[in-house]
Amino acid sequence: MSDQNLSTLLHEMTLDEKIAQLTQLATPFFKGASDQGQITGPMAELGITEDVVQNSGSVLGASGAKVTKNIQQAHLKENRLGIPLLFMSDIIHGYKTIFPVPLAIGCSWDLDLAEQSAAIAAKEAAVSGVHVTFSPMVDLVRDPRWGRVMESTGEDPFLNSEFARAFVRGYQGDDLSNDHVRVAACVKHFAAYGAAEGGRDYNTVDMSERQLREYYLPAYKAALDEGCEMVMTAFNILDGIPATGNKKLMRDLLRDEWNFDGVLISDWGAVKELIPHGVAADEKEAAHQAFSAGVDIEMMTPCYVHNGKALIEENILDEALVDEAVLRILELKQKLGLFDNPYRGADEELEKEIVFSSSHRHAARELAAKSSVLLKNDGILPLKKEQNVALIGPFAEHDDLLGPWSWKGSKEDAVKISVGLLEKIGSAQLSVTKGSDVKTTSQAQIDEAMEAAENADVIVLALGEHSEMSGEAGSRADIRLPQAQLDLIKALKSLEKPMVAVLFNGRPLDLHGVVDQTNAVLEAWYPGSEAGSAVADLLYGDSNPSGRLTMSFPYSIGQVPVYYNHYNTGRPKDAPDAQVRYVSQYLDIPNEPLFPFGFGLSYTTFSYSDVTLSDNVLKEDEPITLTVDVTNTGEMKGEEVVQLYVRDVAGEVVRPMKELKGFEKVSLEPGETKQVTFTLNEEQLRYYHSDLSFKSDTGEFIAYIGPNSRDVSAHPFKLEK
Ligand code: GLC
């Protein structure tokens, strides 16, 4: 359908039809949905009439070729103008083939594998009739108390931006009409949802505009620069105004400054939440504020349908705003080819062939291995096939390995840890006991585990958080493992056998009681459908751990927020002339995190040598290069993530001690050396000044190179103009 025809269609629509087009409802509202019932509580509560359903524009959470076809067919029969529905769903780290959670994928530092995971998710979703995924979530995170850190790729704006681009490329490709393999992406949550005070979900966010632009906005912008079709509003306030009604954020910045003319959708209920936020007295005011902010689709609340018409008839709302919102939705439907084929992509035969295919599961297994981070190893790993192993812990045989936001994945199909180990060693060498549930244990359970460990050469602990202990509304004030699991570790420690802890969790944890009690710690996060196979590959060295943390692990909750790109303060504790007391420190814990951003171990070792700057003066149009020789000095092939950081020694405003400016994951055979080259240019040194101008200053800089944000060598240079 041509643009002209879309305008014609828009003008054929009645005001009621236009306003209903801006409403997104969940699957049960629709005829043809497998669980379609009478108008039940939710619809009755929402006061959504059949007429609104017949004219609504999109469906939340429907998937499956047959179901989506049924819903679309029933809808087209009743929709006067034959406008097809958009099917949108949360496909966050896989559709049915579940990949590691995004925080884990970030730790892979592998943009190609991240893009591949999104492309596979898109393929499985598209043949299942999905048109849009509410992904990537690119909220920058610094507070592990927040349950949704598992959805982010971490604490660095540059790295998050690179992953945002990779995910959008994977979902959308370069031709959305290529209907069997691509879905439209929706970047979220705009903006700065990850900065909720106290790490408490939905809580207040308050920061300077400079802080917002320097750290929290880049990844959203990167997703949009990569062509992301949609944006979702955040639940939180910014500068005292809820994002969903925030004209400065949505109109002035997103639409005018960034020239975003795609579809802006509210998060679930966020339009109506303007009332409890305290900026709208009622649904009518809420609708007006969201419309004025440019929110095109209201998700799962009726403010628009109940008040849009009155707002226009009372000349409070300009109908042109409604028209532009409807047109953006029609344009997205056109881009997806829905006017030509409302059943785009949905194909039962292809669904059987593509969804959860062995090649997809193989990709999930590879990414899960590359996303895991080896935090400690005294040499006990890799395990030897001849060892007798006691696998103990709540996750030994648990199926909760997919993590939050894996709603179409099936836990039953996930490879359990016990199964993964059985693939490596026979049952005669492996005993499996729980020893504890996730949150509780008993003496009987511990006794059983102690007995099982009697004949073992090594104990593998499978510990962690239940997936409902993170994810949305999953904030925790205490980020240690549950006490029951710490008690289990302590009891087993008395056997004086080597112990390996494998962790399944959605956030950086306070690992006291784990790291100090075990010989090795492998952070496996929620590895997804191929969890057991990937973990077994890592434990036995068939995969060499290569993950590096993208979110700091605090020494304790008392440090939070703790992140690598911090400022120096006027009394840095580590200054050469620092006093003992009057410096920025805690009396009872160190300032440094337990494990820093970029950290991760390997079964081999690497050395860095011959770091060379092509020049120690960088000019605006004369970039310099930094080269470094990286050698695998161990006995095993491995991958190293070479990281480049930069410090602006004196800025117009305070500048972070380090900022990631480049990275390269290199694979090295034992004894092999590779030269890695980074280019440094003036653009990379730009930042937001006190007047919000974005530019660089001449002066002293320091380039840092190394395997993480802590263990680096320093290489000064100057910027001259
Ligand atoms: C949820 C989440 C959002 C998700 C939406 C639809 O509340 O905040 O990330 O996409 O609702 O499920």
Side-chain angles (χ1 to χ4, degrees):
M1 183 179 282
S2 70
D3 291 356
Q4 180 50 40
N5 291 351
L6 286 185
S7 299
T8 306
L9 174 59
L10 174 68
H11 290 102
E12 285 173 16
M13 294 170 77
T14 66
L15 183 53
D16 286 332
E17 288 170 335
K18 287 192 277 191
I19 291 171
Q21 186 69 208
L22 307 180
T23 301
Q24 179 170 100
L25 301 169
T27 309
F29 284 84
F30 293 89
K31 290 186 174 58
S34 49
D35 49 358
Q36 162 64 21
Q38 293 303 316
I39 288 187
T40 57
M43 196 187 289
E45 275 164 16
L46 287 179
I48 296 285
T49 62
E50 279 295 343
D51 199 42
V52 168
V53 176
Q54 285 166 15
N55 290 298
S56 61
S58 56
V59 186
L60 166 58
S63 77
K66 189 162 179 50
V67 168
T68 54
K69 280 182 172 178
N70 289 347
I71 294 172
Q72 190 75 282
Q73 189 175 37
H75 184 79
L76 291 173
K77 274 197 189 118
E78 298 185 334
N79 183 276
R80 182 176 70 89
L81 293 168
I83 301 174
L85 288 164
L86 267 171
F87 290 102
M88 304 192 190
S89 289
D90 293 286
I91 296 150
I92 309 301
H93 50 109
Y95 175 72
K96 182 149 176 68
T97 305
I98 301 299
F99 290 88
V101 291
L103 186 58
I105 294 176
C107 291
S108 74
W109 294 63
D110 192 321
L111 301 174
D112 292 339
L113 287 185
E115 179 175 342
Q116 180 193 54
S117 73
I120 287 172
K123 199 180 285 186
E124 294 193 355
V127 298
S128 306
V130 176
H131 305 141
V132 177
T133 178
F134 294 133
S135 178
M137 185 274 214
V138 302
D139 304 328
L140 184 131
V141 291
R142 291 175 166 173
D143 191 328
R145 291 172 291 183
W146 193 47
R148 299 192 76 163
V149 300
M150 47 64 58
E151 264 181 280
S152 166
T153 48
E155 68 191 47
D156 182 75
F158 167 68
L159 191 62
N160 288 355
S161 299
E162 292 301 289
F163 274 107
R165 291 174 183 278
F167 287 130
V168 170
R169 285 194 302 270
Y171 289 131
Q172 295 188 173
D174 52 16
D175 174 8
L176 262 184
S177 64
N178 187 348
D179 61 7
H180 285 317
V181 289
R182 300 296 178 179
V183 295
C186 175
V187 65
K188 68 187 185 183
H189 304 79
F190 196 66
Y193 180 24
E197 281 181 3
R200 199 175 83 227
D201 210 350
Y202 317 120
N203 201 8
T204 299
V205 170
D206 199 11
M207 64 179 73
S208 68
E209 183 171 345
R210 202 176 56 72
Q211 178 84 349
L212 178 70
R213 286 177 177 273
E214 190 72 52
Y215 296 99
Y216 290 86
L217 291 185
Y220 305 111
K221 182 70 167 53
L224 297 179
D225 289 347
E226 201 64 35
C228 187
E229 290 292 344
M230 283 181 63
V231 175
M232 181 184 291
T233 70
F235 287 120
N236 52 280
I237 65 171
L238 265 175
D239 203 10
I241 303 171
T244 306
N246 193 318
K247 282 175 72 175
K248 184 179 175 192
L249 181 68
M250 298 302 178
R251 287 244 181 244
D252 301 349
L253 195 149
L254 179 63
R255 296 229 185 260
D256 297 346
E257 182 183 329
W258 287 4
N259 295 317
F260 174 67
D261 194 30
V263 175
L264 176 61
I265 186 170
S266 81
D267 201 339
W268 185 302
V271 172
K272 188 168 180 179
E273 287 174 12
L274 297 176
I275 300 170
H277 267 302
V279 292
D282 53 30
E283 288 187 5
K284 191 172 181 179
E285 282 189 19
H288 184 219
Q289 287 172 25
F291 263 125
S292 304
V295 176
D296 299 317
I297 299 178
E298 176 181 11
M299 186 192 290
M300 280 303 285
T301 45
C303 304
Y304 280 14
V305 288
H306 285 173
N307 302 282
K309 195 169 187 176
L311 286 167
I312 289 167
E313 287 166 353
E314 294 164 22
N315 293 316
I316 299 170
L317 177 70
D318 182 344
E319 187 168 355
L321 289 187
V322 174
D323 288 352
E324 75 180 36
V326 174
L327 193 55
R328 283 193 278 260
I329 295 166
L330 297 179
E331 285 166 348
L332 180 56
K333 293 183 178 184
Q334 180 185 52
K335 205 175 267 190
L336 286 159
L338 292 177
F339 287 108
D340 300 326
N341 174 12
Y343 307 101
R344 167 201 193 273
D347 183 319
E348 289 92 327
E349 290 314 308
L350 276 177
E351 204 175 23
K352 291 191 193 95
E353 178 194 326
I354 289 177
V355 174
F356 207 56
S357 68
S358 57
S359 65
H360 291 178
R361 295 206 308 273
H362 178 76
R365 178 171 180 165
E366 182 187 12
L367 186 48
K370 298 211 174 198
S371 303
S372 300
V373 185
L374 184 60
L375 296 175
K376 177 184 179 183
N377 182 24
D378 68 359
I380 183 66
L381 291 178
L383 300 177
K384 298 169 185 61
K385 295 283 178 70
E386 58 272 17
Q387 287 173 305
N388 288 327
V389 174
L391 174 63
I392 298 172
F395 285 83
E397 289 199 298
H398 208 300
D399 61 5
D400 184 24
L401 300 164
L402 306 184
W405 296 108
S406 54
W407 60 294
K408 282 303 281 182
S410 63
K411 290 182 175 180
E412 305 69 45
D413 294 326
V415 180
K416 292 186 173 69
I417 306 311
S418 55
V419 173
L421 291 184
L422 273 176
E423 280 171 9
K424 301 293 182 186
I425 58 176
S427 55
Q429 288 177 257
L430 176 67
S431 69
V432 182
T433 50
K434 278 203 311 189
S436 156
D437 289 306
V438 174
K439 291 183 179 177
T440 58
T441 188
S442 65
Q443 195 52 53
Q445 282 180 296
I446 289 179
D447 292 347
E448 185 191 13
M450 300 288 277
E451 189 181 334
E454 278 299 332
N455 302 320
D457 302 313
V458 60
I459 297 168
V460 173
L461 296 163
L463 309 169
E465 296 177 309
H466 191 279
S467 56
E468 288 173 3
M469 294 165 71
S470 60
E472 183 170 357
S475 298
R476 291 180 70 203
D478 180 349
I479 56 171
R480 293 172 302 160
L481 281 180
Q483 190 56 47
Q485 295 180 51
L486 298 176
D487 294 344
L488 173 63
I489 296 172
K490 201 174 285 181
L492 290 167
K493 179 75 177 172
S494 66
L495 296 175
E496 296 184 349
K497 289 176 182 280
M499 289 204 290
V500 178
V502 185
L503 303 176
F504 303 94
N505 48 292
R507 57 165 50 85
L509 296 170
D510 171 350
L511 289 178
H512 285 95
V514 181
V515 167
D516 44 312
Q517 302 292 317
T518 56
N519 302 75
V521 178
L522 178 69
E523 176 55 78
W525 307 109
Y526 291 110
S529 302
E530 292 292 314
S533 306
V535 166
D537 286 344
L538 289 162
L539 291 177
Y540 283 93
D542 296 326
S543 290
N544 185 351
S546 63
R548 302 288 184 267
L549 295 178
T550 60
M551 191 175 177
S552 306
F553 269 58
Y555 184 88
S556 79
I557 191 67
Q559 265 187 353
V560 169
V562 61
Y563 45 91
Y564 89 94
N565 44 359
H566 60 80
Y567 301 135
N568 202 23
T569 79
R571 294 194 175 183
K573 178 180 177 183
D574 53 3
D577 58 351
Q579 303 186 34
V580 173
R581 184 175 177 86
Y582 299 98
V583 291
S584 180
Q585 66 178 346
Y586 302 98
L587 295 179
D588 52 352
I589 60 171
N591 289 3
E592 296 70 28
L594 189 61
F595 296 110
F597 176 86
F599 179 82
L601 300 174
S602 169
Y603 292 149
T604 187
T605 50
F606 300 97
S607 69
Y608 288 63
S609 58
D610 298 332
V611 182
T612 310
L613 281 172
S614 60
D615 196 326
N616 60 12
V617 174
L618 188 158
K619 294 211 171 80
E620 245 173 329
D621 50 6
E622 293 174 28
I624 60 176
T625 60
L626 181 146
T627 56
V628 56
D629 287 347
V630 182
T631 302
N632 179 343
T633 50
E635 307 295 317
M636 196 172 170
K637 180 178 177 182
E639 289 182 291
E640 172 70 325
V641 181
V642 185
Q643 299 160 42
L644 169 70
Y645 298 88
V646 169
R647 180 189 179 190
D648 182 347
V649 176
E652 188 251 2
V653 295
V654 294
R655 307 285 294 117
M657 294 303 285
K658 291 191 188 77
E659 291 180 288
L660 183 71
K661 293 296 180 185
F663 62 91
E664 187 169 331
K665 191 165 193 176
V666 292
S667 177
L668 293 166
E669 296 291 342
E672 184 183 7
T673 297
K674 275 184 184 168
Q675 185 175 77
V676 178
T677 300
F678 294 104
T679 298
L680 272 170
N681 58 47
E682 178 270 332
E683 277 183 33
Q684 291 169 294
L685 307 181
R686 295 177 188 173
Y687 65 95
Y688 285 94
H689 286 57
S690 56
D691 63 356
L692 295 184
S693 61
F694 187 66
K695 58 190 179 188
S696 62
D697 305 323
T698 56
E700 306 286 328
F701 291 81
I702 304 172
Y704 296 100
I705 197 86
N708 58 63
S709 59
R710 179 190 64 198
D711 309 320
V712 291
S713 57
H715 309 276
F717 67 95
K718 287 188 177 66
L719 173 63
E720 292 178 357
K721 291 190 178 183

